[in-house]
Amino acid sequence: MVRIKEINVNDAQLCFLLDSESLQLWNFEQWKSQLNRKHVRALAIYRFKKLVGVCVFELIIDEAELHYIAIHPEFTRKGFGKMLFINFIKRIEKNNIKKIFLEVSSKNLSAIKFYESFNFKTERIRKKYYKDGTDAILKTKIIC
């Protein structure tokens, strides 16, 4: 059984553990801080009560900024990311969001392909944005 639900700061530890096994983007304090922010929302996908993936986004007037999405390595390439992302898009459409934007590393080819499968377009590139000298690609999707 697969279930997607909104989560909050009480789930920071679970998010941190998933992150530490996948992207390794935020420490525990950063997770608490993100999940405590007023306009930030987070969705989690579970399979039989096990946290499989997390999506964190911020609602900014009529736009949504995707801050984080990851699937536990044990569950990648099995459709969970797609399910979570479709649910994210459906939820933000209900909030009259007109545009989604995100940032992705130019070396993260699988993420770029994933976003493009949802019709995200490259808005611009921030050259040598990351510490390792990699470019950041800013992508957007217009919601009609």
Side-chain angles (χ1 to χ4, degrees), residues 110-141:
S110 62
I112 292 168
K113 184 177 177 182
F114 178 79
Y115 297 132
E116 289 175 352
S117 76
F118 285 94
N119 298 315
F120 276 79
K121 305 296 182 209
T122 298
E123 185 89 11
R124 63 187 166 140
I125 297 173
R126 292 180 177 149
K127 294 287 186 186
K128 299 180 181 178
Y129 182 75
Y130 298 109
K131 290 178 186 176
D132 68 356
T134 306
D135 297 341
I137 301 174
L138 303 176
K139 293 197 159 287
T140 60
K141 175 181 176 72

Side-chain angles (χ1 to χ4, degrees), residues 2-3 5 7 19 34 39 41 62 75 80 99-100 102 106 109 118 123 125 127-128 130:
V2 175
R3 182 171 53 108
K5 70 174 194 165
I7 58 174
D19 186 32
Q34 278 290 317
H39 299 288
R41 303 287 180 268
D62 62 349
F75 296 95
F80 292 105
K99 182 179 180 180
I100 306 169
L102 59 88
S106 62
L109 300 179
F118 285 94
E123 185 89 11
I125 297 173
K127 294 287 186 186
K128 299 180 181 178
Y130 298 109

Side-chain angles (χ1 to χ4, degrees), residues 32-50:
K32 285 194 325 188
S33 174
Q34 278 290 317
L35 296 176
N36 247 337
R37 292 177 59 205
K38 184 177 180 181
H39 299 288
V40 169
R41 303 287 180 268
L43 300 173
I45 185 166
Y46 294 87
R47 181 170 185 261
F48 299 115
K49 297 185 180 184
K50 177 174 175 55

